[in-house]
Amino acid sequence: MSNSNNIIDGKQLSITIKEEIAGEVKAIKADGGKIPHLAAVLVGDDPASRVYVRNKVSSCEEVGFESTLIRKDDSITEDELLEIIHELNEDDDIDGFIVQLPLPKHINEEKVTLAIDPKKDVDGFHPMNFGRMAQGMPSYLPATPFGIVQMLDRYNIEVEGKYCVVLGRSNIVGTPISILLSRKASPGNATVVLCHSRTKDIKKHCLEADIIVAAIGKANFLTADMVKEGAVVIDVGINRVEDESRKKGYRLAGDVDYDNVAPKCKLITPVPGGVGPMTVTSLLMNTLKSCKGEVYDN
Ligand code: GUN
């Protein structure tokens, strides 16, 4: 087993960041300034989405933000949802909002994402924010990559000049984190290799890596024989694996074979308690930035 000195404690770090945000909100209140206000739209009753959204709303309360939850039945039409988005875009009291994904099949997620005003897109999913991020302009960073960047920064992990391997090229994790790590910024300036399902010899790349970000969505994909001694491993996976010993019949496992990989690592994120808790703090940070007009100067 690993010694616990090499754990990147996302749960604790997210608590620290939330305390910092709460402190800022207190100061804003004392000054009579505008309180940050996040809205979340939840369509249908997907159990995982309900948990995520509940967590986002309760985190707003924790830090003193205002929050609005808009719940709609699965039967909502695309036009009705677009109308809600339009109203949120126009509502001056709302600093930012999210539409929780996935949406029911009859609703086009791309259309919904494009309908959100980029200035209120605190999820950072709109191509305008993605493009701004890629060009190093101020933007709302998507939650998971922003959380990873925060972790690297707060744990003083050297990124510049390092060989980083990203596993997975999704729009919301793999591709944006590969851009952020290679940007001329801090953290950044890394040499990044983005590996995916068509990559030849993933193991060869991983064995060279100083930093590995695993976001491939396969339980225990990254095994100890793929990791060099002293690497930093960031595990983005949240996979359900059968476990009869648990009441629910499953447990959550990352993309990393943690028990065997951790002893080789300089630092590693656990699952749960690693990247996951950081995603909500990213959303709060983006909402605060929006309220303060730090990303778009309106
Ligand atoms: N579904 C899974 N992750 C996310 C997220 O970060 N934002 C939204 N809106 N939906 C999601």
Side-chain angles (χ1 to χ4, degrees):
M1 284 301 286
S2 67
N3 64 56
S4 57
N5 288 338
N6 70 347
I7 290 176
I8 301 177
D9 187 344
K11 195 167 173 205
Q12 181 54 51
L13 181 53
S14 74
I15 291 169
T16 303
I17 294 176
K18 279 195 259 186
E19 284 169 357
E20 291 170 9
I21 296 172
E24 277 210 50
V25 175
K26 240 179 162 171
I28 292 172
K29 275 187 186 160
D31 272 357
K34 184 183 179 310
I35 306 301
H37 188 170
L38 174 76
V41 182
L42 174 62
V43 179
D45 51 12
D46 175 67
S49 291
R50 275 168 53 183
V51 172
Y52 291 141
V53 170
R54 198 185 317 136
N55 196 4
K56 290 170 187 180
V57 170
S58 68
S59 297
C60 283
E61 280 161 24
E62 265 179 68
V63 299
F65 283 9
E66 286 174 13
S67 62
T68 298
L69 172 59
I70 300 171
R71 285 196 67 171
K72 292 289 165 188
D73 199 76
D74 257 339
S75 61
I76 190 172
T77 66
E78 188 177 271
D79 281 346
E80 285 165 342
L81 181 57
L82 291 171
E83 181 51 32
I84 291 170
I85 292 170
H86 178 68
E87 283 166 17
L88 291 168
N89 284 341
E90 296 297 313
D91 185 339
D92 285 341
D93 197 60
I94 302 287
D95 297 294
F97 66 96
I98 63 148
V99 179
Q100 187 66 25
L101 305 178
L103 290 168
K105 286 196 173 51
H106 65 277
I107 298 177
N108 183 336
E109 288 186 357
E110 208 172 279
K111 212 165 166 181
V112 166
T113 303
L114 287 169
I116 298 172
D117 181 345
K119 292 178 182 173
K120 294 195 176 186
D121 169 40
V122 285
D123 255 335
F125 287 174
H126 193 289
M128 171 77 96
N129 280 312
F130 194 98
R132 288 171 68 104
M133 171 198 69
Q135 296 193 9
M137 295 164 69
S139 67
Y140 299 116
L141 300 181
T144 305
F146 193 11
I148 295 170
V149 167
Q150 285 293 313
M151 284 176 149
L152 296 171
D153 186 36
R154 301 280 185 130
Y155 273 79
N156 291 317
I157 296 165
E158 222 186 302
V159 176
E160 181 164 328
K162 299 294 180 190
Y163 190 85
C164 296
V165 167
V166 176
L167 302 175
R169 56 179 159 183
S170 71
N171 284 344
I172 59 171
V173 186
T175 299
I177 193 65
S178 72
I179 293 169
L180 288 170
L181 294 175
S182 57
R183 270 192 337 184
K184 194 169 185 174
S186 179
N189 285 316
T191 302
V192 180
V193 172
L194 178 54
C195 296
H196 46 75
S197 54
R198 309 288 167 90
T199 300
K200 288 184 184 141
D201 209 347
I202 287 185
K203 181 175 172 179
K204 185 187 81 179
H205 293 291
C206 289
L207 275 171
E208 293 289 317
D210 303 303
I211 300 172
I212 300 176
V213 178
I216 207 157
K218 289 187 184 153
N220 301 324
F221 179 86
L222 188 76
T223 47
D225 59 318
M226 299 167 79
V227 179
K228 80 172 177 187
E229 206 62 52
V232 173
V233 171
I234 309 288
D235 188 353
V236 181
I238 321 176
N239 309 291
R240 282 185 181 189
V241 294
E242 269 184 43
D243 186 342
E244 307 257 306
S245 71
R246 303 288 174 104
K247 235 194 278 170
K248 290 178 181 162
Y250 68 87
R251 67 188 155 81
L252 292 180
D255 289 354
V256 178
D257 176 13
Y258 185 88
D259 287 348
N260 295 308
V261 171
K264 298 183 87 172
C265 292
K266 185 168 161 198
L267 284 166
I268 184 166
T269 62
V271 176
V275 174
M278 296 298 296
T279 60
V280 176
T281 59
S282 301
L283 187 62
L284 297 175
M285 287 172 77
N286 280 341
T287 306
L288 181 61
K289 280 181 184 202
S290 175
C291 184
K292 296 201 297 188
E294 283 180 0
V295 175
Y296 290 85
D297 40 12
N298 295 305

